[in-house]
Amino acid sequence: MNVKIHQSWKSRLVDEFEKPYFQSLVDFVKSEYQNHKVYPKAGDIFKAFDYSHFDETRVVIIGQDPYHGEGQAHGLCFSVNEEVKSPPSLQNIFKEIKEDLGLSIPPNGNLERWAKQGVLLLNATLTVRAHTAGSHQNKGWEDFTDSVIKILSSEKENLVFLLWGAYAQKKGAVIDKTKHLVLESAHPSPFAAHRGFFGNRHFSKTNKFLKQKGLPPIEW
């Protein structure tokens, strides 16, 4: 199957694209785009991979669903387009960065600048029906993104995985912790951030690890 994804990923995922579950997933997603409003726009489904190429990936942040509000989702977990107000979870991420690193809160919530530095902003489910959270769960996306995580864990070394909340932590169970740094905390949502996300210092810890491994830090 010819999937429009960056070649550095395509060469490693080619077998995945031929599996029966992925064909069923493609059929489902095509039907959803034809019959409903779906986010992100079709050209942005694999945007995280187009920005953070396999060889350049240094950090992985795992989200769950794309945002399902108008104009929010654009293919990168937690990120929104520049003209869209930052959602509460993203606001809390910026607050923690400010406390951790002393950086000013940015003027918008577009995280493309992270992705271009090798931060893979990976949602577990890459599409969603408008205003219907979880509507594309259990259709095959989770199998696909599980495979992405397994390939990263097995084929690379010295990655940093940021797993915020129980869902991301469960999804990260396949990561080889002898090869990679896995940082876990509560989710940055307003319902959980005060239970361990604030004060986790994941951003400084990530950069300390990268520098120890001779890799450039992330400009958060």
Side-chain angles (χ1 to χ4, degrees):
M1 186 182 303
N2 186 26
V3 177
K4 293 181 179 179
I5 192 171
H6 189 267
Q7 186 59 37
S8 67
W9 290 99
K10 193 170 189 175
S11 60
R12 291 170 171 84
L13 293 167
V14 62
D15 291 341
E16 206 68 22
F17 297 144
E18 300 303 324
K19 292 181 179 178
Y21 89 84
F22 197 84
Q23 179 62 64
S24 298
L25 172 63
V26 169
D27 292 342
F28 167 76
V29 171
K30 283 182 177 178
S31 175
E32 285 286 289
Y33 274 94
Q34 289 168 357
N35 297 296
H36 303 279
K37 183 73 172 178
V38 175
Y39 300 124
K41 64 182 182 181
D44 285 346
I45 292 175
F46 295 108
K47 190 173 185 177
F49 302 91
D50 293 335
Y51 274 122
S52 186
H53 303 165
F54 181 85
D55 296 327
E56 298 166 6
T57 296
R58 290 180 284 149
V59 179
V60 183
I61 299 177
I62 298 176
Q64 192 164 354
D65 262 12
Y67 295 121
H68 54 81
E70 182 69 34
Q72 291 181 307
H74 66 139
L76 307 174
C77 75
F78 292 106
S79 180
V80 291
N81 285 304
E82 292 177 4
E83 67 276 8
V84 177
K85 181 182 178 182
S86 296
S89 292
L90 184 54
Q91 291 179 33
N92 286 339
I93 290 170
F94 289 150
K95 288 176 183 176
E96 175 57 25
I97 291 173
K98 182 178 180 180
E99 288 298 314
D100 187 9
L101 299 172
L103 299 177
S104 299
I105 292 176
N108 63 71
N110 190 327
L111 302 181
E112 289 177 3
R113 63 187 183 280
W114 294 2
K116 291 175 181 176
Q117 297 178 72
V119 180
L120 181 65
L121 296 165
L122 181 66
N123 273 317
T125 303
L126 300 189
T127 55
V128 68
R129 193 184 296 183
H131 312 301
T132 313
S135 50
H136 287 190
Q137 291 178 5
N138 303 315
K139 301 296 183 181
W141 278 131
E142 295 91 344
D143 295 326
F144 171 71
T145 50
D146 279 349
S147 294
V148 169
I149 295 167
K150 289 175 185 175
I151 289 170
L152 283 165
S153 177
S154 64
E155 294 192 20
K156 291 181 72 74
E157 294 182 351
N158 302 327
L159 292 174
V160 182
F161 290 86
L162 303 184
L163 308 181
W164 300 329
Y167 183 89
Q169 289 157 23
K170 183 178 180 181
K171 197 163 180 71
V174 298
I175 300 165
D176 184 348
K177 294 184 179 181
T178 67
K179 296 170 59 181
H180 308 288
L181 176 64
V182 178
L183 298 175
E184 300 181 349
S185 79
H187 194 275
S189 79
F191 305 105
H194 291 281
R195 297 202 298 269
F197 178 79
F198 289 135
N200 66 18
R201 302 185 65 84
H202 280 185
F203 304 97
S204 60
K205 289 176 181 177
T206 294
N207 282 350
K208 180 180 179 181
F209 176 83
L210 293 173
K211 285 188 271 191
Q212 286 174 343
K213 300 300 180 181
L215 300 169
I218 304 298
E219 294 182 13
W220 298 107

